[in-house]
């Protein structure tokens, strides 16, 4: 477990160092992020779901555990919104706390899944992708439209952002191909496998390049809430619900990993585009990614 985790964070650190030294220009990093997000990681999801034996996996139990954990945290944060407002946290800052508390870094989760459980781990994590990504995109867009000060996204734009999200359509394609995997040409399966193998390393380099250590201010209430909820409360909730559904073994471990990874770097771009507090979102993302080096092993050790 530690070897897999250390390897993942070494790749992230390499991405940060490459950007800090200027080895890869900022403009090129944008291209790398777009390539990873729109092409390479969808290939991982499609290939994994297309060839998986889903009938032998606890798809419903694992998916429900993560969905219920997300909905519980989202409900608690929305219920606490008046208290947070009285504490000086405005609407845009609340949206960054919300995203930082519920979203997850799929790149890190898939890399850890592959390191811990191999192909089985990747398949289980793909189930988490299919269950969590559509819900999270809907929740975050709605919360930003309601509480941020930017221009609210129209209903049609909201639907388009959800439907055309690469992880959503790739999950749908993978599940559809799974129903006819016996018809899939070997060349197509190999093509998706080769494309997907490139995703983990490139994606983690992009995560590292997205970190901005200079943006870290002295932790404030907003930072503490987002870190505590995402790295402590979410894993405990997901584990508790998963145990109620009878999950154990690799499925339980992957559920804990999916709930324990830091928030997604894409949250920054959504905050910037929809009027959220983008600088706070960048600080939360960086802080969580650094602290996860300590909290992830503990979560997997004690809960997984």
């Amino acid at each position: 477990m530690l070897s897999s985790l250390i390897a993942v964070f070494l790749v992230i650190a390499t991405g940060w160092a490459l950007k800090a030294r200027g080895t890869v220009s900022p403009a090129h990093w944008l291209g790398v992020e777009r390539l990873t997000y729109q092409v390479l990681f969808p290939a991982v999801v499609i290939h994994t779901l297309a060839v998986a034996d889903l009938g032998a996996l606890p798809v419903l139990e694992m998916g429900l555990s993560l969905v219920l954990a997300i909905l519980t945290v989202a409900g608690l944060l929305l219920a606490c919104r008046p208290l947070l407002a009285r504490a000086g946290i405005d609407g845009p800052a609340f949206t960054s706390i919300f995203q930082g508390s519920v979203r997850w870094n799929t790149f890190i989760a898939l890399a850890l899944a592959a390191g811990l459980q191999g192909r089985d781990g990747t398949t289980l994590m793909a189930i988490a992708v299919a269950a969590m990504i559509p819900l999270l995109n809907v929740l975050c867009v709605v919360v930003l439209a309601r509480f941020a000060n930017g221009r609210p996204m129209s209903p049609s734009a909201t639907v388009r952002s959800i439907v055309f999200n690469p992880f959503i359509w790739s999950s749908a394609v993978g599940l559809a191909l799974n129903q006819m995997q016996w018809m899939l040409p070997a060349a197509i399966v190999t093509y998706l496998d080769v494309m997907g193998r490139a995703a983990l390393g490139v994606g983690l380099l992009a995560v590292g390049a997205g970190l901005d250590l200079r943006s870290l201010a002295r932790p404030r209430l907003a930072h503490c809430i987002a870190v505590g909820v995402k790295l402590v409360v979410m894993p405990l909730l997901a584990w508790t619900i998963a145990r109620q559904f009878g999950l154990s073994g690799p499925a339980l471990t992957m559920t804990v990993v999916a709930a324990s990874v830091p928030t997604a770097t894409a949250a920054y771009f959504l905050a910037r585009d929809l009027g959220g507090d983008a600088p706070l979102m960048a600080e939360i993302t960086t802080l969580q990614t650094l602290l996860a080096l300590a909290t992830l092993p503990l979560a997997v050790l004690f809960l997984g």
Side-chain angles (χ1 to χ4, degrees):
M1 178 187 68
L2 285 174
S3 295
S4 299
L5 186 63
I6 291 171
V8 165
F9 277 89
L10 283 176
V11 179
I12 292 174
T14 302
W16 175 83
L18 289 172
K19 182 178 180 181
R21 290 176 57 86
T23 305
V24 180
S25 69
H28 288 151
W29 278 118
L30 290 175
V32 170
E33 290 174 356
R34 189 175 295 112
L35 171 68
T36 305
Y37 186 65
Q38 296 183 358
V39 179
L40 299 182
F41 263 93
V44 172
V45 175
I46 293 172
H47 177 263
T48 302
L49 289 175
V51 302
D53 181 9
L54 297 179
L57 297 172
V59 176
L60 184 62
E61 294 86 348
M62 186 174 176
L64 277 176
S65 298
L66 292 166
V67 165
L68 289 175
I70 290 170
L71 290 175
T72 301
V73 168
L76 289 172
L77 287 171
L78 291 171
C80 293
R81 171 68 191 123
L83 294 175
L84 295 174
R86 285 197 288 271
I89 294 176
D90 60 14
F94 174 74
T95 64
S96 292
I97 293 174
F98 187 90
Q99 286 205 91
S101 298
V102 299
R103 296 191 70 157
W104 66 315
N105 196 308
T106 318
F107 300 163
I108 296 177
L110 281 168
L112 282 174
L116 290 170
Q117 301 288 343
R119 178 57 60 84
D120 291 341
T122 305
T123 302
L124 288 166
M125 199 56 68
I127 294 172
V129 169
M132 296 168 69
I133 295 298
L135 173 64
L136 286 172
N137 277 274
V138 173
L139 285 176
C140 291
V141 169
V142 169
V143 167
L144 276 156
R146 169 65 180 82
F147 294 104
N149 292 331
R151 180 173 56 85
M153 185 179 287
S154 67
S156 60
T158 301
V159 172
R160 284 196 302 271
S161 72
I162 294 168
V163 171
F164 291 106
N165 181 285
F167 288 106
I168 293 179
W169 63 255
S170 62
S171 298
V173 171
L175 290 171
L177 293 178
N178 182 269
Q179 302 304 309
M180 50 181 176
Q181 55 181 261
W182 56 275
M183 297 175 55
L184 292 177
I188 298 299
V189 175
T190 303
Y191 160 75
L192 291 171
D193 185 31
V194 172
M195 293 287 287
R197 289 181 187 179
L200 297 182
V202 176
L204 291 176
L205 288 173
V207 170
L211 299 181
D212 184 5
L213 300 185
R214 295 170 299 179
S215 71
L216 287 180
R218 182 161 49 175
R220 305 189 303 273
L221 178 61
H223 299 86
C224 295
I225 293 172
V227 168
V229 173
K230 184 67 191 79
L231 300 184
V232 179
V233 176
M234 184 70 82
L236 287 170
L237 260 178
W239 176 82
T240 301
I241 297 171
R243 293 296 294 165
Q244 294 300 313
F245 282 120
L247 285 182
S248 61
L252 179 61
T253 302
M254 292 303 103
T255 300
V256 170
V257 170
S260 303
V261 292
T263 193
T265 52
Y268 169 80
F269 300 103
L270 193 62
R272 185 186 62 188
D273 292 343
L274 297 186
D277 191 334
L280 175 61
M281 192 69 254
E283 293 168 8
I284 289 172
T285 302
T286 300
L287 191 59
Q288 283 188 4
T289 303
L290 295 175
L291 292 177
L293 183 59
T295 60
L296 262 169
L298 295 175
V300 175
L301 180 63
F302 290 107
L303 303 178

